[in-house]
Amino acid sequence: MSELRFDGKVAVITGAGHGLGRSHALSLAERGAKVVVNDLGGALDGTGASTGPAADVVELINKNGGEAVASTDNVATPEGAKAIVQAAIDAFGRLDVVVNNAGILRDKSFGKMSVEEFDQVLAVHVRGSFLVSRAAFPYLKEQGYGRIVNTSSPAGLFGNFGQANYSTAKMGLVGLTKTLGIEGARAGIKANAIAPVAWTRMTEALLPAEFEAKFTAERVSALVTFLAHESCETSGEVFSVGGGRIARVFVAEGPGWRQDDHTVEDIRDNWEAIMAEQPYLTPIALGQQASASMKAML
């Protein structure tokens, strides 16, 4: 089997100055992609800014024989997102891959979380992914080809104490990914999401020390690189990845229970059937789920 290459392809990777984003950038560049390394250069909580992280990754890529340019624009503003995409067009003349990886943490228990702490996390993760994808979409659509990889999280899929803001944002990215997969289909644009577990500056305080060697960022980047490749025809899916294990994650609907004109007491008395998991349906779009509900009425 031939090596999966990205020669002639251009990728934008946000949050690429550290951790997973840095690893994604190096992986794609090693396989021939020209890369826009975007990173605001701030702290984990989103405060501050520095040109250093993005510049360091660009320097490493160029040193290794690749091609890259740095961007320190803010993904959470329309102007910043547009500038990130424009950096790819100005430097390399095209854009093929968008990896939305930028993120911040403002962890706090729900009762103590401020509105500002909630909004700021959503602004970077959800708004940032939306804005960068929106800025890239016309270019991808015009050329009839594109790959978008969003970064969700197990915290979003399954919840996590102290991360109401982060969990909300990461589950929101699942909805964005599925809709982008549907709307991009006719234009040859595939969109998928990852829910990674990796040892990075975001997780080093949460994961046991022995995880560092096993949950490397490189193991996550292998999946991102595949999802970003032209040979990957899958779209609208979410994958958990970490420690060498990769699995599809899907939203399923159980068989349910139906009765015309049911009362509150009827619901109580049939709760076990409502909670049943088998056999389950995995709709790929709202229309399919609605169709199943309609059929149940016949």
Side-chain angles (χ1 to χ4, degrees):
M1 298 292 289
S2 60
E3 181 185 32
L4 298 182
R5 298 285 302 174
F6 288 82
D7 301 306
K9 296 291 192 294
V10 177
V12 159
I13 303 171
T14 68
H18 300 280
L20 286 174
R22 177 182 185 276
S23 179
H24 302 339
L26 295 176
S27 177
L28 286 165
E30 182 181 5
R31 291 173 177 269
K34 300 173 182 178
V35 181
V36 174
V37 177
N38 165 258
D39 201 293
L40 189 63
L44 275 178
D45 64 0
T47 59
S50 170
T51 60
D56 289 345
V57 177
V58 168
E59 182 180 4
L60 181 57
I61 290 174
N62 291 335
K63 181 180 178 181
N64 291 337
E67 293 184 62
V69 295
S71 160
T72 56
D73 298 288
N74 188 349
V75 300
T77 69
E79 298 78 15
K82 183 177 180 180
I84 294 167
V85 170
Q86 193 62 46
I89 303 303
D90 291 345
F92 306 120
R94 62 179 293 126
L95 176 59
D96 304 279
V97 176
V98 174
V99 179
N100 289 308
N101 174 76
I104 64 171
L105 289 177
R106 293 287 179 91
D107 292 355
K108 194 169 289 185
S109 62
F110 183 75
K112 298 179 181 178
M113 184 175 292
S114 68
V115 173
E116 181 184 29
E117 288 165 335
F118 185 85
D119 288 346
Q120 288 174 337
V121 169
L122 266 69
V124 177
H125 292 271
V126 182
R127 180 180 167 89
S129 297
F130 164 74
L131 289 174
V132 175
S133 299
R134 187 183 69 161
F137 210 77
Y139 296 100
L140 305 182
K141 188 175 181 180
E142 183 178 359
Q143 67 194 13
Y145 173 83
R147 296 291 184 268
I148 298 174
V149 183
N150 292 323
T151 308
S152 182
S153 168
L157 297 169
F158 309 112
N160 194 36
F161 185 89
Q163 292 193 311
N165 48 8
Y166 185 78
S167 297
T168 301
K170 289 306 190 182
M171 194 59 179
L173 285 167
V174 172
L176 176 63
T177 299
K178 290 187 173 294
T179 298
L180 285 175
I182 294 168
E183 294 194 14
R186 290 186 178 181
I189 301 170
K190 312 294 184 184
N192 292 286
I194 62 166
V197 177
W199 182 276
T200 68
R201 67 174 186 158
M202 268 194 171
T203 60
E204 61 183 2
L206 304 173
L207 297 176
E210 58 267 27
F211 275 40
E212 182 173 6
K214 297 180 179 179
F215 287 81
T216 63
E218 289 74 19
R219 290 185 174 184
V220 174
S221 294
L223 173 60
V224 170
T225 302
F226 173 70
L227 294 174
H229 195 264
E230 61 186 349
S231 65
C232 180
E233 291 296 322
T234 298
S235 191
E237 297 289 352
V238 182
F239 300 91
S240 65
V241 53
R245 177 179 178 273
I246 301 170
R248 179 189 177 216
V249 179
F250 51 88
V251 176
E253 184 175 76
W257 166 80
R258 183 187 176 280
Q259 176 178 294
D260 287 337
D261 303 321
H262 50 251
T263 67
V264 176
E265 289 73 24
D266 289 332
I267 294 173
R268 176 199 62 196
D269 296 341
N270 289 277
W271 194 245
E272 185 175 341
I274 293 169
M275 291 290 288
E277 298 178 358
Q278 299 289 343
Y280 60 76
L281 171 71
T282 56
I284 60 172
L286 174 62
Q288 190 179 70
Q289 190 274 339
S291 177
S293 297
M294 295 292 288
K295 288 180 181 177
M297 297 176 64
L298 300 177

